[in-house]
Amino acid sequence: MTYEIYAVIILIVGILIATFSSLRKPKAKKLRIWGITTMLIIAPIASWLISSIYGLCEGSGFAMIGLLIILFPILFIAGIVLYWVGGRV
């Protein structure tokens, strides 16, 4: 259970750093910052947290890995899209 607490702390700190670093920046810069944050911090940690909670509720490690395999690419692609839109604005 301690790993989940550390993951939540890292996730919150990463989101706070992204929030404060994107204040008073142009829209393109904000989108790039949030794209990088989504790809490097939010996607792996959030997908692992959601998947581990689901796996514990179901009582199956296969359910955890299955959901992890589905969630991580979706969130990572969302980060790529944010970064790409920030470069085009």
Side-chain angles (χ1 to χ4, degrees):
M1 192 63 171
T2 59
Y3 295 121
E4 287 86 3
I5 294 170
Y6 293 141
V8 168
I9 290 170
I10 293 170
L11 187 63
I12 290 171
V13 168
I15 290 173
L16 286 175
I17 289 172
T19 301
F20 288 127
S21 65
S22 66
L23 288 176
R24 296 185 190 101
K25 299 276 170 74
K27 185 178 180 181
K29 188 79 166 178
K30 282 183 184 182
L31 288 172
R32 285 191 162 217
I33 289 171
W34 279 104
I36 291 171
T37 304
T38 302
M39 288 186 288
L40 298 180
I41 295 173
I42 296 174
I45 296 175
S47 62
W48 180 75
L49 281 171
I50 293 167
S51 299
S52 64
I53 291 170
Y54 180 74
L56 287 173
C57 290
E58 288 294 318
S60 172
F62 289 111
M64 176 187 166
I65 296 299
L67 189 60
L68 183 69
I69 290 172
I70 293 170
L71 279 179
F72 180 71
I74 291 172
L75 292 174
F76 194 82
I77 290 172
I80 290 173
V81 168
L82 282 172
Y83 189 80
W84 180 66
V85 169
R88 309 236 341 152
V89 172

